[in-house]
Amino acid sequence: MAQNAMAMASPSYLSLSYSSCPVNCIVPRKVFPEGDASLSLQLAKRLGFSGRDGSSRRRVILKSALDGVSVIDPPPPSKEAKTELLASLKIKLLSVVSGLNRGLAANEEDLQKADDAAKEIEAVGGTVDLSTDLDKLQGKWKLIYSSAFSSRTLGGSRPGPPTGRLLPITLGQVFQRIDILSKDFDNIVELQLGAPWPLPPVEATATLAHKFELTGSANVKITFEKTTVKTTGNLSQLPPLEIPQLPDALRPPSNRGSGEFEVTYIDDDTRITRGDRSELRVFVIS
């Protein structure tokens, strides 16, 4: 007993502490000899600071003073490392959605893969604060994916004309044009309308004009104003047709001309949003 007591008081034992909360584990030197990297790694794994593949999630530092071992969090990743990781994750997302025709050809598995890839970017990118970074919204953005288009309607999860053989409408490119000074928020849709043979299809661009406002640090509310349809191609000389907003009394309750979405990631060339009807959209700067 006396020998054990002396051994416990001896500085030849290691004292373990994590961050500011000491664990005060007493571990004999003869079990974990100082300088043995493999046993130090075993200790890190036992404490949960190393992944299954052996990669270190937290840094184990041996201190010679008092023969102590301190386990501390690593420094945050550098800005360069974060930028490289985000670039890699954005390429992964683009590869997932590249063959889905903006979501029109997506099945349930495709939807899940796109959602998972977007969540990885959102997690690394962190919190979006448009109250200080509103200028990042400025510009013309090209839609490359919408989860709502998998419903096979141009309105996504909202009412809209179906695409396909029943109605000769072909969806072209879709853009969002945002002006942070005037608060203009225009959805621009390129369409091709079928015509009776032998007439060629009619090409047109529909611009759905909105105003926008921030309703939170990353939440945007848009209010519909009017729709303008302009023919292009062979009929580009025709004047644009303006369709004003219907009076509230004539509009259905499900379509009051406004919507909300959250910007979950944004940088100089990529924007990810999640809509009020669980719609995931991915844009790139045009």
Side-chain angles (χ1 to χ4, degrees):
M1 293 292 293
Q3 291 179 352
N4 290 339
M6 292 178 63
M8 293 294 290
S10 172
S12 65
Y13 285 73
L14 300 178
S15 176
L16 177 69
S17 64
Y18 167 59
S19 186
S20 61
C21 300
V23 179
N24 295 327
C25 297
I26 305 300
V27 183
R29 180 192 296 274
K30 64 181 181 180
V31 176
F32 294 101
E34 185 173 357
D36 191 325
S38 63
L39 292 179
S40 297
L41 180 59
Q42 293 176 19
L43 174 61
K45 287 183 177 180
R46 179 176 297 182
L47 294 174
F49 297 111
S50 188
R52 295 182 179 180
D53 59 353
S55 60
S56 177
R57 290 204 305 260
R58 303 205 175 175
R59 185 175 297 174
V60 179
I61 298 179
L62 298 179
K63 293 182 178 180
S64 58
L66 300 180
D67 292 326
V69 177
S70 295
V71 183
I72 64 174
D73 285 327
S78 65
K79 183 177 180 181
E80 292 77 11
K82 182 178 179 180
T83 300
E84 290 180 4
L85 178 57
L86 283 171
S88 175
L89 292 176
K90 288 194 293 184
I91 292 174
K92 177 182 177 181
L93 175 60
L94 292 176
S95 67
V96 169
V97 304
S98 60
L100 301 180
N101 191 16
R102 285 146 297 169
L104 289 168
N107 56 32
E108 288 298 324
E109 182 180 358
D110 296 325
L111 293 175
Q112 188 60 56
K113 287 181 178 180
D115 191 74
D116 291 342
K119 285 179 178 177
E120 288 183 305
I121 297 177
E122 293 164 344
V124 175
T127 304
V128 175
D129 187 358
L130 295 177
S131 63
T132 58
D133 289 328
L134 186 62
D135 59 310
K136 289 184 176 181
L137 280 179
Q138 180 73 32
K140 186 177 181 181
W141 297 85
K142 179 180 178 181
L143 177 70
I144 62 172
Y145 174 78
S146 169
S147 62
F149 281 173
S150 65
S151 65
R152 307 301 190 270
T153 78
L154 299 183
S157 56
R158 301 174 183 274
T163 61
R165 298 180 179 179
L166 296 180
L167 199 64
I169 296 179
T170 301
L171 178 66
Q173 300 296 335
V174 179
F175 300 91
Q176 282 185 348
R177 185 173 55 207
I178 304 174
D179 189 323
I180 62 173
L181 297 179
S182 63
K183 303 299 181 182
D184 288 331
F185 191 106
D186 298 336
N187 287 320
I188 304 171
V189 182
E190 297 177 354
L191 299 171
Q192 188 178 80
L193 310 177
W197 186 86
L199 298 177
V202 177
E203 298 177 349
T205 298
T207 301
L208 288 72
H210 299 75
K211 291 292 185 180
F212 83 92
E213 60 178 319
L214 296 183
T215 58
S217 61
N219 296 315
V220 178
K221 179 180 179 180
I222 58 173
T223 302
F224 174 76
E225 291 192 324
K226 64 181 179 180
T227 297
T228 302
V229 178
K230 178 71 173 68
T231 54
T232 58
N234 296 331
L235 299 177
S236 59
Q237 70 277 11
L238 296 179
L241 174 64
E242 184 172 305
I243 305 174
Q245 180 178 0
L246 292 174
D248 287 344
L250 299 180
R251 278 186 289 160
S254 61
N255 182 16
R256 289 301 178 182
S258 64
E260 292 190 36
F261 60 87
E262 178 185 4
V263 179
T264 55
Y265 177 80
I266 189 169
D267 61 21
D268 293 338
D269 55 38
T270 305
R271 176 163 57 96
I272 300 175
T273 68
R274 294 187 180 270
D276 54 0
R277 301 194 182 193
S278 302
E279 179 183 6
L280 169 65
R281 290 187 176 188
V282 182
F283 297 86
V284 294
I285 199 69
S286 175

